[in-house]
Amino acid sequence: MSVIGLVLGVVLLGLALWERLGRGEQARAWLRGPSEAGVRGALFVLPGLGMLSLLVGLSPWMGDVPALGFLALVLAPLGLWLVFGWGALSLPYPRWSVPRWSRESIARRFDKERWMR
C-alpha cells in the first residue's frame, strides 16, 4: 500500500508540475478545456491528490522520523484545501496561484476582471 501511495504521489505531482510549467502544447492542453473545472483540476486537484497520496505512502515511517510527521502536519491541510477548497467547492482562487503564462487567457475566458488590472 505504501509503495502504491508513493508511486502515485510522485506521478501525480510530476504531472501537475509538467502542466504548471506549460512547456509545450500538450502541457498546456488543460487550458483549452471548455469549463473552469478543467483548470481547477489541473491547478489544484491534481497536486492536492498527489500530496495526499505521497503522505499515505510515507505514513509507515512517520512514527519513526519526526520530520515526516511535521511534514504531514503541513502538507495534509494544504492538500485537502487544494482538493476541496479550490477544487471541489470552487472557492475563488487568487491570481498568484495560477502560472504567469496562463493568467491572461484564464482571465479573458472566465471573466476574471480583477486579474486584468
Side-chain angles (χ1 to χ4, degrees):
M1 180 73 162
S2 63
V3 172
I4 293 170
L6 285 172
V7 170
L8 185 62
V10 168
V11 167
L12 289 176
L13 287 173
L15 180 62
L17 180 65
W18 177 70
E19 287 181 339
R20 184 169 279 278
L21 292 176
R23 295 184 183 148
E25 284 300 311
Q26 289 182 334
R28 294 179 181 208
W30 59 270
L31 193 56
R32 292 188 296 268
S35 69
E36 193 174 4
V39 171
R40 288 178 182 272
L43 292 178
F44 306 117
V45 175
L46 195 62
L49 288 176
M51 276 188 236
L52 295 174
S53 297
L54 195 63
L55 289 175
V56 167
L58 292 173
S59 64
W61 298 285
M62 285 186 194
D64 299 332
V65 182
L68 288 179
F70 179 74
L71 185 69
L73 285 175
V74 173
L75 291 184
L78 177 62
L80 289 171
W81 178 255
L82 289 174
V83 172
F84 294 108
W86 285 336
L89 295 177
S90 298
L91 296 175
Y93 52 92
R95 179 180 154 176
W96 56 263
S97 66
V98 178
R100 190 177 314 248
W101 59 265
S102 66
R103 287 180 189 161
E104 188 175 319
S105 175
I106 290 173
R108 274 196 318 267
R109 286 189 59 211
F110 302 115
D111 194 32
K112 296 189 183 302
E113 292 180 22
R114 60 188 163 90
W115 286 14
M116 300 299 260
R117 294 181 207 146

